[in-house]
Amino acid sequence: MALDKKRCMPSKQLGNDNPALALGDVLDRRYRVISYLGAGTSGQVYLCRDNARADSRVAVKVLSKDLAARPFARAEFLREFLIGSRLDHPNLLHYFDTVRQSDLTAFSMEYVGGGNLALLIKKRTPISIREKVRILMEISRGLGALHKLHVIHHDLKPANILLSNRKEVKVSDFGISRFRGQPPDEASDARIGTPQYISPEYLTDGVVTPLSDIYALGLMAYELITGKPAFVGKTAVETIQLRFKTTPVEPHRVVDDCPRMLSKAVLKAMSLDPVARPQTPAEFENMLHDCMRPFWVSATATPATRVDA
């Protein structure tokens, strides 16, 4: 297979500017800014009080003004809201309303205060293998709900897995998601995905299916369980190429408390051949459940049950 090096290149940061709003600013006569949460590729996120929701805390995402002038960037930003507002699942981030203010393009969404999976892995916070698998099962459930609506996430990575203070999972960021069968958008295709988590079939042929999300889920599972990525090169391109040339060390050989069956399930999700992967998030969730059965049985309460694919 020929590797498309254009698809290996890292995405550009499009909107990492200084905070445009100040503490106490009120948006759309309802959202009062109480803190600045940070910036992403498309804009800035603020923690606000929403007086239309009993003064509850919400996150408001604001598109950078320079991007608001670019039609494809604005469409991509609003696509996140349009897709997110259709979702209703405990493991998917909830999206609320667009912000009606002429000088801003923005929307409100659920505030999740426990950071994200990338930070959890980076901090090397000690958590049990049972807890790691619970997190992975919740990601699988959220992804399964997304796929049932025929939506492919297409940028599944640890930074997009938000965690509550109790480490409950919320899959987020649907800005470059696409509906199954939707043709590529050439304008946004140049920055689709994150090199470390893009599927082999997209890299070689530009093909995106729900199984591409399964591959990214496998890579995240490997990273969460072992504490390090499956493939690490000196450059983004080299990191991508390693997955075609090498086989990662089995997770149970990296961490002592990882069952062999769990290693097998994770590496199956990371298969280069889409047909060899679990075919649905529910199938992967069931594999996780089965390989951890002794842990579930020994617990006072079973945290999950098998689900139908």
Side-chain angles (χ1 to χ4, degrees):
M1 294 185 292
L3 185 64
D4 187 340
K5 292 189 177 182
K6 180 181 178 182
R7 294 193 176 96
C8 299
M9 299 307 293
S11 304
K12 291 182 179 180
Q13 290 292 104
L14 296 177
N16 241 345
D17 46 5
N18 295 323
L21 302 177
L23 181 68
D25 283 354
V26 177
L27 311 177
D28 198 9
R29 298 183 179 181
R30 61 182 283 190
Y31 303 105
R32 179 167 50 86
V33 178
I34 58 177
S35 69
Y36 174 62
L37 296 177
T41 56
S42 60
Q44 305 163 338
V45 182
Y46 300 85
L47 180 60
C48 299
R49 293 283 186 183
D50 183 1
N51 62 31
R53 293 181 178 273
D55 221 27
S56 62
R57 296 192 300 174
V58 300
V60 173
K61 190 172 184 178
V62 180
L63 180 64
S64 298
K65 290 185 177 180
D66 60 329
L67 290 180
R70 306 181 194 179
F72 91 85
R74 191 170 187 275
E76 184 179 282
F77 183 83
L78 293 175
R79 177 167 56 184
E80 177 180 358
F81 174 78
L82 291 173
I83 291 176
S85 61
R86 297 177 57 184
L87 307 176
D88 185 15
H89 188 274
N91 298 124
L92 294 175
L93 190 69
H94 293 154
Y95 289 69
F96 299 136
D97 300 288
T98 55
V99 175
R100 295 180 175 86
Q101 190 158 312
S102 60
D103 60 335
L104 291 176
T105 301
F107 55 77
S108 62
M109 54 192 177
E110 180 181 9
Y111 171 65
V112 184
N116 59 47
L117 190 59
L119 292 174
L120 182 70
I121 295 171
K122 184 178 180 180
K123 289 179 180 178
R124 299 187 179 276
T125 305
I127 57 175
S128 68
I129 193 69
R130 186 173 182 270
E131 181 75 347
K132 291 176 181 178
V133 170
R134 180 195 61 78
I135 290 172
L136 292 171
M137 292 174 75
E138 289 191 10
I139 297 172
S140 299
R141 290 173 202 154
L143 188 60
L146 197 65
H147 286 179
K148 284 180 180 178
L149 290 176
H150 308 291
V151 176
I152 303 168
H153 191 286
H154 202 22
D155 195 20
L156 207 61
K157 58 184 178 181
N160 287 339
I161 306 300
L162 303 183
L163 300 171
S164 72
N165 291 326
R166 299 173 61 183
K167 294 187 176 62
E168 298 161 324
V169 164
K170 298 285 183 177
V171 180
S172 71
D173 201 339
F174 309 107
I176 58 175
S177 297
R178 59 174 63 170
F179 290 97
R180 188 171 184 176
Q182 176 184 339
D185 181 346
E186 291 299 328
S188 61
D189 200 45
R191 59 171 295 271
I192 270 184
T194 302
Q196 292 88 334
Y197 305 96
I198 296 175
S199 66
E201 58 270 23
Y202 178 73
L203 289 165
T204 57
D205 304 314
V207 173
V208 179
T209 74
L211 294 174
S212 305
D213 284 343
I214 298 291
Y215 181 82
L217 179 56
L219 288 178
M220 287 198 302
Y222 188 100
E223 192 170 348
L224 176 60
I225 291 168
T226 66
K228 56 185 179 182
F231 307 101
V232 181
K234 294 180 180 179
T235 65
V237 172
E238 185 179 333
T239 297
I240 293 294
Q241 291 174 331
L242 284 174
R243 72 182 63 177
F244 294 96
K245 299 177 179 179
T246 64
T247 301
V249 178
E250 296 167 296
H252 72 270
R253 299 185 185 279
V254 180
V255 289
D256 295 335
D257 61 348
C258 176
R260 286 176 177 266
M261 285 184 63
L262 180 55
S263 269
K264 183 177 180 180
V266 171
L267 293 180
K268 183 177 177 65
M270 292 168 53
S271 298
L272 291 178
D273 182 1
V275 177
R277 298 171 200 156
Q279 296 299 289
T280 65
E283 182 181 340
F284 184 61
E285 181 185 347
N286 285 334
M287 291 174 69
L288 294 175
H289 182 274
D290 288 349
C291 67
M292 296 296 291
R293 188 176 296 277
F295 290 81
W296 306 146
V297 171
S298 64
T300 56
T302 303
T305 56
R306 287 180 60 86
V307 295
D308 294 330

